[in-house]
Amino acid sequence: MSRLPKKDVVIVGLGWTGSIMAHELAMAGLDVVAIERGPWRDTATDYNIGTAPDELRYAVRQDIFLRPAQDTQTARNSLDQVALPIRKYGSYLPGNGVGGAGVHWNGHTWRFFPSDFNLRSHYIERYGKDIIPENCTVQDWPVSYDELEPHYDFFEKVCGISGKAGNIKGVIQPGGNPFEGWRSDEYPTKPLKPNLSQTMFAKAATELGMHPFPLPSGNISEAYTNPYGVRMAPCTYCGFCEWFGCANYSKASPQACVLPALMRQSNFEARTLCEVTKINTTPDGKMATGVTYVDADGREWEQPAELVLLCAYAIFNVRLLMLSNIGTQYDPVSNTGTLGRNYAYQTNAGSVGYFSKDVNFNPFAGAGSLGMMADDFNGDNFDHTGLGFIGGANINCTTTNGRPISNRPVPPGTPRWGAEWKKATADTYGHVQSVGTQGSSMAYRDVYLDLDPTYKDRLGRPLMRMTFDFKENDLKMSRYVVDQTAKIARAMGANHVSVNYKKGPWSVVPYQTTHNTGGAVMSSTPQDGVVNRYTQHWDVPNLFVSGACLFPQNAGYNPTGTVGALTYWALDAIKNKYLKNPGQALVQA
Amino acid sequence: MMRGTILAATLFAATALGAGIAKADPDNFVEVQRGKYLATVGDCMGCHVGPDGKSMAGGNLLETPFGNIAVPNITPDNKTGIGTWSAEDFYQAMHVGKAPDGTHLYPAFPYTSFTKMTREDTDAIYAYLRAQEAVENEVDRDTLPFPFNIRLAMWGWNWLNFTPGEFKPDPQKSEAYNRGAYLVEGPGHCGLCHTPRNFMGGDAAGDELKGGALQGWFAPNISADKHVGIGAWSEAEIVDYLRTGHTARSAASGPMAEVVSYSTSHMTEGDLKAIATYLRERGAAGEAKPQPLAASEPRMQAGAAIYDDTCAACHVGDGSGVAGMFPRLADNQLVQQTDPSGILHVILQGSQSVATPHAVTAPSMPALGWRLSDQQVADVATFIRNSWGNAAAPVTADQVKSMREETAGVAMPARH
C-alpha cells in the first residue's frame, strides 16, 4: 500500500452530496479530493442527445447502474430466514459513477412536513402513545423543519426546481400545496406544462375535495442559471428521465448543477474508478486518519486527510462504517447498538385507469417529474383516529414516459404474449393513466442492516445483509390511500380501474424504488443514532455522514430534497462551527 | 524622445541578457505583468502550449495547406527554447519574421500581424517569457515537405505578401477605435484565421476579416456586414461573446473556443469594448444577401422534417434556441456564411462549446454524422440557412461528403 500526501478533506463518493460538499469546501479554500468507485461522467460525453434516449441500453440493460459483481447485498424478509445475494438488481438500482443516483433520478424534489421531523412526539401528542405500533422504532429527528428551511431553499435554487409554492412564510398560496411547511421563497422556476392527465387529475381531485398542485420538479421548465453560475436549459418533455442521464441540461444533477463549477477549482481533485475500502482511524478509534482505496488496477492506496466525509449512497455509507469498525452494530435481539438500525424503504402502490380510445394521454410527451399531486392523505394531514396506522402517502398522477419497450400497459387478464397481447397493446397505449401513491416507511425493531455472515464481495469483504419486509402498519396505510387513488381514477372518467394494493412479502425482483433510508441515523443522543444533529459521527468527530442513511424513518416523499437540505445544513456546521475548532464534537454526548 | 529612451534602455537590457543566462530582473514586475497580458491578448499559449499543458514549450503540429509546422518552444530554455535570445532578437522575430541566425520564420507565426506591435509591447512580452520556467522540450522544426522546407523561399513570399511596420493610429478616429484596431490587427492577429488566404497563404488583398477556412472549420466573417458579419451585433453582444464565449446567438467552439479560453476571456472590459468598436466601425465586406430558398422547395421540406426530429428540441422549432445554452439559429451569422464548413462540421462531428469563469457550463452539440446521410445533412443545413429570415446558398451532398472526409476521425475534444 502506498501512502499519499495528506489532504484537508477526503470525500467518499462523488454524487449529489459529495459534489456539493466538495464545491463548498473547495470554495472555502480547503484542499479537497473525492474518491469515486465508478467512472467519470459528464453530460457532453456520456449523455449526448444523439445517444442518450436508448431504452434498451439504459432502462433494460441498466447501463449506468452498479453491477452486482462490483457490490451487492443479501436480502431476507425476517430474522428466521437465510439471506441470499441479489444477483440482478431489481427492487432498487444503485447508481454508479460520478453523479451517482443523482444522474438517473426522476427529479421529484420534496421537503418533508414539519411534523415529519418530530414524528414520534407529534403522533403521541395528537393521538396518545398507543397509536405507535408495537416494535415500531420511529423517533424524532434531532433537527427541525425551521432549521432546515434555508437549506431546502438553497438546494432548490442549486437545482432550479420548477414548482408552485403553497405556503410562503405562513401565507397559503393558491395553486400550491396548502399542506407544505412554510417556504421563505417561491420555487426558482415555474411549474412544467401539464399534459392531459394532469389537467384531468386536477379537476377530479378538486371535485373530490382534495387540493391538487404541480409536482416540484428537477426537470426544469425554463432556462435557468443557478447560484454557482451553472446554466440549465428547459425540459423538452422527451420522456427519458428515470434510469437515464439527461442530455438536455434540464434535469438537476451533479453534472448539470455543480460539477461544471467544481471542476474549475484547482484545489479539487476527483479520482474515479477508485473504491474506498476502509475509513482509517487512530488506534484508539477516536479520530479518522483518512481512507484506504483500491484503484482500477487493483493497487491499494492510503489517502490521509484531516476531515473524512462519507458521501456514497445510503446503504454503502452504512456498510463502509461497518467494514471500518466505526460505531456499534445494531442487534435486534438484544436491542443494542445503533449502526444498521432503523433501515426503511418506501411503500408505493396505486390504481390504473383504462380510458376510452378518444382520450389520448400522449404519454411520450412526458418528464420524470411531470405530475399533479395531492397531499391530503400524506403525513398527518388527515385524522388518523381509528385508522390503525401512522404515516401517509402522496398521491401522484405523473406522465413520465411512453417509451416503446417497457411502456406497454394492457388490461388485466390479457395474455403475456401473442396476437391478443399485440392487439391489446395497440388498443391500450395512450389511453391509460395510473394514479399512484408514494408512502411512508416506518422503522421497526426487526428491520435493519448488518454484514452478511456468508457472502463476500470481489475484494473478500462481507456483503451487507438487508432484513426488510412491509409491516402491517405500512400496508394498512397504503391500502387506505390507494382506495383514494381509485376514487380519483374513476372521477377522471376511467371505464375500468384496476386497484393494486401493496402486498408483502417484499421481493427484490420487480423495481419499486431506489429510496433506501436509515442505518446510520441522526439522533439527539448517541444511544439512538450514529451521528449527531450536525451529521457528525458520535464517536469520531472528524467524520461526517451524508445521505438518506441519516433518516430515522422515511416519509411519504422522495428523499432527495431532504438529502440536499441536510447536506447544506451539515456544511453550515462544518464551515461555521467545526472548522473553527476542528476535531471537537459539536454536540456533547 | 520617449521612444528613444525606451529603446536605449532595452538595448542595454539586451546587452545585459545577451549571455543568455539571467532570467528577467524580478523587479520589473510591472513590465512582466504587462507582457503577460499582451501574451494573453496574442494567445501565444493557443499554439505554443507544451506537452505539459501549462508551459509554452511547443511541439504542437499546426496544420497548414503546405504541410504541418511544429510549433517551437518559447520558454527560456537555452538549448531547446529561446533562452539565448535578446530582446532585440525577439523584436526582429515579431517585427520582420526572422530568427536570430537570420533564417526566415514561416508566416504561420503571424509576424505579419505582430509587425504592427510597438517595441515597448514586444519587450514586455519578452520580459514575461523570460520570467517563465525554462522547460526542455526539443521540437523538430523541419517538418514541412519540399519545397516548403526551404526557408529562404520566404524571402520572396515576404516580398509579395508582407509589409513590415508598426501600427499607425488614425487621428480621425476615437481612441477606442484605434486601440481596437491595434489589438485586432496587431497582437490579436484575428486576420490570421478570419481573413481569407490567397494561393500563397497570404492575406487576400481587400478581403480583410471576410472569413477564412481553417482545419475543417470556417472562421466567419467578422466585418461589419449585417448579413454574415457582426454588423448586427451590439457592442455588448461582442463583448459578452469574447468574455464568456456565449451569447443568445452563438457559442464559441472549435478553434475559437481555444481563443476565448486562453485569450479573450482574460482581456479587460476596456479592450473588449475597443475591439467591438473597431469591428463595428471599420466597414463591411461581404456579398449581397441572397434570396432565401422557398419553403416549398423539396430540399427545404426534407430539411424541415429532419430539423423537427433532430434539432428542434434544443434549438426550438422557430430557431430561437436557449440563450447561453443552445445558439439561436434565426439571424445567426455563423450558419449563413458563404462557406458552410462551420455548420457542416458541427452537424457531422459535434462540438463542445467553451467553459469560461463567467459561463462555466459548456454545452455540447452531438455528432450526427453517424446517423444522417450526406443528403440529409445537406438538406437540414440548407433548411437552417434559409429559414426564419436566414438566407444563404443551399448546401450540396458533395460538400457534405468532402467535409465528412476532411473531419473524419476528428472527434469531439476529450473529456476534461
Side-chain angles (χ1 to χ4, degrees):
Chain A
M1 180 161 63
S2 314
R3 189 182 163 94
L4 294 159
K6 192 172 196 172
K7 293 275 187 180
D8 293 332
V9 184
V10 63
I11 294 180
V12 182
L14 192 57
W16 263 128
T17 66
S19 62
I20 289 170
M21 288 281 191
H23 188 50
E24 291 280 337
L25 294 176
M27 279 198 293
L30 299 181
D31 195 11
V32 181
V33 60
I35 301 178
E36 163 59 46
R37 170 164 61 191
W40 174 257
R41 288 190 169 133
D42 71 20
T43 307
T45 328
D46 299 282
Y47 310 122
N48 189 301
I49 194 89
T51 51
D54 184 337
E55 189 183 6
L56 183 64
R57 173 176 170 184
Y58 292 107
V60 178
R61 295 183 178 156
Q62 305 179 351
D63 188 81
I64 60 175
F65 296 104
L66 187 72
R67 303 287 151 181
Q70 288 173 268
D71 188 14
T72 188
Q73 295 76 49
T74 64
R76 59 178 181 172
N77 291 123
S78 58
L79 295 174
D80 57 4
Q81 292 178 342
V82 175
L84 294 173
I86 295 171
R87 294 183 188 274
K88 182 179 193 300
Y89 277 117
S91 179
Y92 53 90
L93 297 171
N96 186 39
V98 170
V103 170
H104 76 254
W105 70 317
N106 259 331
H108 301 201
T109 312
W110 295 101
R111 299 174 172 205
F112 289 180
F113 296 114
S115 62
D116 283 327
F117 292 96
N118 58 344
L119 187 90
R120 189 173 190 99
S121 51
H122 170 87
Y123 272 101
I124 291 175
E125 192 184 319
R126 184 169 173 187
Y127 303 104
K129 65 176 169 37
D130 290 345
I131 193 160
I132 309 289
E134 199 189 347
N135 286 328
C136 175
T137 53
V138 295
Q139 62 194 46
D140 291 357
W141 294 56
V143 59
S144 71
Y145 176 84
D146 288 358
E147 286 173 311
L148 286 184
E149 199 288 331
H151 307 292
Y152 271 124
D153 181 66
F154 191 74
F155 181 64
E156 287 164 2
K157 288 184 164 118
V158 168
C159 296
I161 301 303
S162 296
K164 177 77 195 80
N167 176 348
I168 296 182
K169 296 172 182 157
V171 181
I172 300 301
Q173 308 288 315
N177 179 8
F179 300 107
E180 71 176 348
W182 67 279
R183 308 170 53 86
S184 49
D185 205 352
E186 183 49 276
Y187 282 97
T189 53
K190 63 178 190 283
L192 292 172
K193 287 179 193 159
N195 205 331
L196 178 64
S197 310
Q198 287 73 49
T199 311
M200 287 170 60
F201 173 89
K203 185 166 172 287
T206 306
E207 283 165 8
L208 291 167
M210 297 181 209
H211 301 80
F213 64 96
L215 201 174
S217 170
N219 333 118
I220 72 168
S221 60
E222 54 190 317
Y224 177 74
T225 304
N226 83 4
Y228 297 143
V230 183
R231 290 175 176 166
M232 299 175 74
C235 175
T236 61
Y237 303 82
C238 76
F240 286 82
C241 280
E242 189 176 33
W243 307 345
F244 301 85
C246 179
N248 214 61
Y249 306 85
S250 310
K251 179 166 74 174
S253 68
Q255 276 77 359
C257 302
V258 185
L259 294 172
L262 173 60
M263 293 312 291
R264 299 189 70 82
Q265 302 211 57
S266 54
N267 51 340
F268 169 73
E269 182 190 347
R271 291 189 203 133
T272 54
L273 297 172
C274 289
E275 179 166 0
V276 173
T277 50
K278 192 168 185 282
I279 299 164
N280 301 315
T281 53
T282 50
D284 62 4
K286 289 192 171 154
M287 291 293 277
T289 57
V291 300
T292 297
Y293 68 91
V294 177
D295 71 14
D297 296 327
R299 286 173 302 197
E300 197 171 51
W301 303 87
E302 184 191 345
Q303 176 61 65
E306 298 284 349
L307 186 59
V308 177
L309 304 178
L310 196 42
C311 294
Y313 186 63
I315 50 180
F316 304 126
N317 283 345
V318 176
R319 177 168 180 249
L320 197 55
L321 289 169
M322 292 173 178
L323 293 172
S324 309
N325 284 316
I326 296 175
T328 314
Q329 173 64 47
Y330 170 69
D331 175 2
V333 178
S334 61
N335 201 11
T336 55
T338 54
L339 184 58
R341 180 172 168 272
N342 279 30
Y343 171 74
Y345 196 39
Q346 196 96 69
T347 319
N348 298 345
S351 302
V352 183
Y354 297 83
F355 292 76
S356 309
K357 282 188 117 175
D358 57 347
V359 180
N360 289 298
F361 289 115
N362 295 340
F364 40 82
S369 301
L370 175 59
M372 283 299 272
M373 309 292 303
D375 263 348
D376 298 73
F377 298 95
N378 199 0
D380 192 30
N381 300 335
F382 56 109
D383 189 355
H384 284 72
T385 308
L387 296 178
F389 63 83
I390 60 171
N394 70 34
I395 296 176
N396 55 67
C397 177
T398 58
T399 303
T400 61
N401 78 92
R403 294 191 292 261
I405 298 174
S406 34
N407 197 320
R408 296 294 182 109
V410 285
T414 306
R416 295 290 300 274
W417 55 276
E420 265 188 77
W421 175 81
K422 281 186 188 167
K423 183 174 182 306
T425 298
D427 286 347
T428 314
Y429 185 88
H431 314 296
V432 174
Q433 178 62 49
S434 64
V435 179
T437 69
Q438 172 139 260
S440 53
S441 175
M442 298 304 167
Y444 301 92
R445 182 168 169 172
D446 58 352
V447 169
Y448 72 111
L449 305 170
D450 66 353
L451 293 177
D452 192 273
T454 310
Y455 294 96
K456 295 190 165 50
D457 70 7
R458 67 201 162 92
L459 299 171
R461 306 172 305 166
L463 297 184
M464 167 166 281
R465 178 170 64 177
M466 188 177 278
T467 306
F468 175 80
D469 205 352
F470 297 109
K471 299 287 183 177
E472 189 52 31
N473 175 82
D474 297 349
L475 293 174
K476 245 191 229 176
M477 175 282 297
S478 183
R479 194 175 181 87
Y480 182 79
V481 189
V482 167
D483 283 339
Q484 314 299 326
T485 65
K487 284 186 207 164
I488 298 171
R490 286 188 196 103
M492 286 168 72
N495 298 330
H496 171 75
V497 174
S498 140
V499 185
N500 306 310
Y501 296 115
K502 191 81 195 175
K503 290 191 200 81
W506 171 60
S507 159
V508 301
V509 176
Y511 185 75
Q512 290 160 68
T513 180
T514 308
H515 302 164
N516 313 77
T517 71
V521 311
M522 57 197 305
S523 61
S524 307
T525 69
Q527 285 72 48
D528 44 32
V530 170
V531 302
N532 67 26
R533 69 193 303 261
Y534 301 111
T535 77
Q536 180 185 38
H537 199 281
W538 279 114
D539 303 337
V540 182
N542 64 337
L543 170 63
F544 287 74
V545 182
S546 295
C549 57
L550 302 169
F551 297 5
Q553 56 274 332
N554 200 10
Y557 279 139
N558 310 58
T560 303
T562 301
V563 167
L566 286 172
T567 307
Y568 282 107
W569 159 256
L571 269 166
D572 185 44
I574 292 170
K575 287 193 291 186
N576 299 315
K577 294 191 173 82
Y578 178 82
L579 288 175
K580 291 184 174 147
N581 204 358
Q584 300 299 309
L586 296 172
V587 177
Q588 288 314 310
Chain B
M1 179 62 203
M2 179 68 181
R3 198 180 133 71
T5 314
I6 290 168
L7 193 63
T10 40
L11 280 176
F12 173 75
T15 314
L17 293 168
I21 41 166
K23 274 197 171 185
D25 173 1
D27 287 337
N28 64 354
F29 176 78
V30 175
E31 190 181 29
V32 168
Q33 286 304 105
R34 213 167 65 78
K36 179 182 182 184
Y37 181 74
L38 285 161
T40 303
V41 171
D43 193 13
C44 307
M45 190 64 101
C47 291
H48 289 278
V49 63
D52 55 11
K54 290 183 296 201
S55 73
M56 295 198 229
N60 271 338
L61 288 180
L62 273 195
E63 290 172 39
T64 79
F66 310 102
N68 290 337
I69 298 178
V71 183
N73 180 344
I74 56 168
T75 70
D77 183 58
N78 285 348
K79 197 163 134 253
T80 63
I82 59 168
T84 58
W85 288 30
S86 68
E88 175 64 20
D89 291 339
F90 187 70
Y91 178 69
Q92 286 304 318
M94 296 285 277
H95 194 65
V96 297
K98 278 189 188 174
D101 62 4
T103 55
H104 286 273
L105 302 172
Y106 292 111
F109 169 64
Y111 59 86
T112 46
S113 300
F114 296 155
T115 191
K116 301 205 169 175
M117 293 177 72
T118 63
R119 178 69 193 250
E120 295 95 305
D121 282 359
T122 67
D123 282 352
I125 294 177
Y126 174 77
Y128 167 68
L129 294 177
R130 301 274 320 167
Q132 303 310 299
E133 202 68 46
V135 177
E136 189 176 333
N137 182 36
E138 190 72 59
V139 176
D140 177 8
R141 302 283 290 119
D142 295 312
T143 50
L144 279 185
F146 181 83
F148 307 113
N149 59 343
I150 303 169
R151 286 174 180 267
L152 195 61
M154 295 319 297
W155 179 84
W157 190 93
N158 283 341
W159 186 69
L160 291 166
N161 293 288
F162 175 49
T163 317
E166 286 186 18
F167 174 75
K168 299 278 182 300
D170 179 348
Q172 307 297 315
K173 296 288 191 177
S174 66
E175 199 181 323
Y177 177 96
N178 278 307
R179 173 69 178 165
Y182 177 72
L183 291 168
V184 167
E185 294 179 15
H189 66 281
C190 307
L192 186 71
C193 297
H194 288 279
T195 295
R197 307 280 106 203
N198 62 24
F199 73 98
M200 289 175 284
D203 286 5
D207 284 342
E208 283 81 9
L209 305 188
K210 208 175 146 185
L214 81 152
Q215 298 167 14
W217 292 89
F218 186 76
N221 184 322
I222 54 167
S223 78
D225 184 83
K226 280 197 159 49
H227 175 222
V228 291
I230 51 79
W233 290 39
S234 68
E235 179 188 282
E237 197 176 356
I238 296 172
V239 170
D240 264 6
Y241 178 82
L242 294 172
R243 192 172 67 93
T244 71
H246 296 265
T247 69
R249 73 176 117 198
S250 207
S253 74
M256 192 62 192
E258 268 180 31
V259 175
V260 171
S261 177
Y262 287 133
S263 176
T264 61
S265 64
H266 304 284
M267 288 170 68
T268 64
E269 182 99 7
D271 277 354
L272 294 177
K273 282 186 176 166
I275 289 173
T277 302
Y278 173 64
L279 291 179
R280 280 157 49 81
E281 291 179 11
R282 63 172 286 285
E287 284 73 37
K289 184 174 179 176
Q291 279 298 313
L293 263 66
S296 55
E297 257 253 358
R299 285 174 292 181
M300 290 288 281
Q301 290 187 338
I306 297 164
Y307 183 86
D308 281 350
D309 277 352
T310 305
C311 319
C314 293
H315 293 285
V316 185
D318 62 1
S320 58
V322 175
M325 291 293 287
F326 311 130
R328 188 177 88 205
L329 300 177
D331 190 25
N332 178 324
Q333 285 69 39
L334 210 56
V335 303
Q336 299 175 74
Q337 297 296 308
T338 322
D339 177 337
S341 296
I343 182 174
L344 297 184
H345 191 132
V346 166
I347 295 173
L348 287 168
Q349 289 291 344
S351 184
Q352 182 155 21
S353 62
V354 66
T356 59
H358 325 283
V360 296
T361 306
S364 70
M365 161 85 189
L368 298 168
W370 62 277
R371 67 178 174 89
L372 295 180
S373 68
D374 291 346
Q375 189 61 51
Q376 287 172 319
V377 173
D379 289 346
V380 75
T382 298
F383 171 78
I384 292 166
R385 284 160 66 81
N386 288 281
S387 297
W388 324 294
N390 293 348
V395 177
T396 66
D398 280 349
Q399 282 175 297
V400 179
K401 184 168 179 280
S402 62
M403 180 53 65
R404 199 188 281 276
E405 284 159 4
E406 188 174 353
T407 59
V410 185
M412 277 178 44
R415 56 183 67 172
H416 50 89

